[in-house]
Amino acid sequence: MREHSAPGWPVWLSSELLAAPGGAAHAFSTRLGGVSEGVFSSLNLGHTRGDCPEAVRENYRRLLSAAGMPEMGRLVLARQVHGDALRVCTGADAGKGLDRPRDFEADGLMTDERGLTLAVFTADCIPILLYDPVRRAVAAVHAGWRGTALGIAAKAVRQMADVYGCRPEHLRAAIGPGISRCCFETDDDVPGAMRRALGAEAEQMIFPVPGKLGRWRVDLKALNEHWLRRAGVREIDRSDECTHCHPERYWSHRRTGPARGSMAALITLT
């Protein structure tokens, strides 16, 4: 993925796969280049964690401007619940989250309307952006371990096909920074959920921790890529950056707990 930075502006990432000619404006944020202070320093995009609302709005203004996206009034922010619910968004949803109350729960958003910017939040969980250059539709997905086990990435592909007529082989996917196999150590519950969902297919992405009985390392990025390919997506860009390994660059819930900010993955049809 390509990093974008300039003095006084946010540091953010984009995927060449999504930014190809005729592509979608999008961004995976870092925690760098904003105006928030204290535990939220500096590019916090989470607006429900106790940060100053004016600072959060300025952070959004800076990131949207840097990434060439519409103004904040066209943002749609999800109330995420670590499930697999998906929301088909229209102009009636514009502004929900910052300017208007969020009246729905979802861990994935999709639209085919130009100028509507979809955003999902992460702080170790896996952000996934989808773009169909043929049917001109986009989606933003938040995949924690529960959403990964539920196959939310594949579900988004299927729903884009049902709602917009997208063909999976036309979709382009970008998996952004998130906690990596090196740092996502768990008890039996997480690998058990993956095995129930994927059977033997999950084994290549689950690793026992040497010397720790009942402890596992799970590769959430690889699992979500597997779900996407299983659903028929062929072109996938995947970030190798681990949010837990780089607390100076990314928010990590596992490292800091709830006293933190949030990154966001955003996408819009220009």
Side-chain angles (χ1 to χ4, degrees):
M1 290 194 178
R2 179 185 175 194
E3 179 179 303
H4 304 261
S5 63
W9 287 95
V11 177
W12 55 284
L13 307 177
S14 69
S15 167
E16 295 295 333
L17 194 58
L18 303 189
H26 66 284
F28 295 99
S29 75
T30 67
R31 62 175 295 178
L32 304 175
V35 300
S36 294
E37 299 178 345
V39 296
F40 304 108
S41 176
S42 64
L43 187 68
N44 168 43
L45 299 175
H47 60 297
T48 62
R49 309 199 66 84
D51 194 3
C52 171
E54 291 77 15
V56 176
R57 291 184 67 86
E58 175 61 14
N59 291 339
Y60 272 106
R61 187 197 67 77
R62 290 184 176 205
L63 181 59
L64 292 170
S65 178
M69 294 182 179
E71 59 190 18
M72 284 186 288
R74 299 293 292 169
L75 265 173
V76 184
L77 309 181
R79 181 188 296 142
Q80 296 166 194
V81 293
H82 291 274
D84 64 346
L86 301 164
R87 171 84 170 188
V88 176
C89 298
T90 68
D93 295 307
K96 288 183 178 178
L98 277 184
D99 297 327
R100 301 165 55 201
R102 294 175 296 172
D103 56 2
F104 64 90
E105 294 180 344
D107 283 270
L109 307 173
M110 60 185 62
T111 193
D112 66 347
E113 293 195 18
R114 288 188 183 183
L116 199 63
T117 302
L118 311 179
V120 292
F121 306 101
T122 61
D124 279 337
C125 294
I126 310 303
I128 304 165
L129 299 178
L130 298 169
Y131 168 54
D132 183 341
V134 178
R135 298 298 299 171
R136 297 286 293 167
V138 294
V141 175
H142 159 260
W145 74 260
R146 292 178 178 85
T148 300
L150 291 168
I152 188 172
K155 184 176 179 181
V157 173
R158 292 193 298 270
Q159 189 155 329
M160 291 181 76
D162 292 342
V163 176
Y164 305 124
C166 299
R167 295 178 59 174
E169 62 268 28
H170 293 159
L171 284 170
R172 300 172 183 176
I175 300 172
I179 196 165
S180 297
R181 164 188 167 183
C182 54
C183 296
F184 190 46
E185 185 176 321
T186 78
D187 294 320
D188 291 325
D189 54 344
V190 178
M194 303 307 165
R195 290 176 176 128
R196 287 191 294 275
L198 290 167
E201 296 174 33
E203 295 301 332
Q204 61 185 317
M205 293 157 283
I206 299 170
F207 311 89
V209 179
K212 293 184 179 181
L213 186 63
R215 296 290 289 177
W216 308 84
R217 287 201 173 95
V218 180
D219 193 336
L220 292 179
K221 293 177 187 174
L223 281 158
N224 279 287
E225 180 172 349
H226 184 79
W227 275 115
L228 289 167
R229 294 197 184 281
R230 205 171 186 248
V233 180
R234 298 172 182 171
E235 295 185 88
I236 302 173
D237 189 7
R238 189 171 99 190
S239 169
D240 293 326
E241 291 198 85
C242 175
T243 49
H244 189 273
C245 283
H246 300 286
E248 78 291 346
R249 182 174 170 84
Y250 298 107
W251 304 106
S252 171
H253 186 84
R254 280 210 158 207
R255 182 175 286 277
T256 64
R260 58 161 178 82
S262 295
M263 283 94 65
L266 308 95
I267 191 166
T268 186
L269 289 168
T270 53

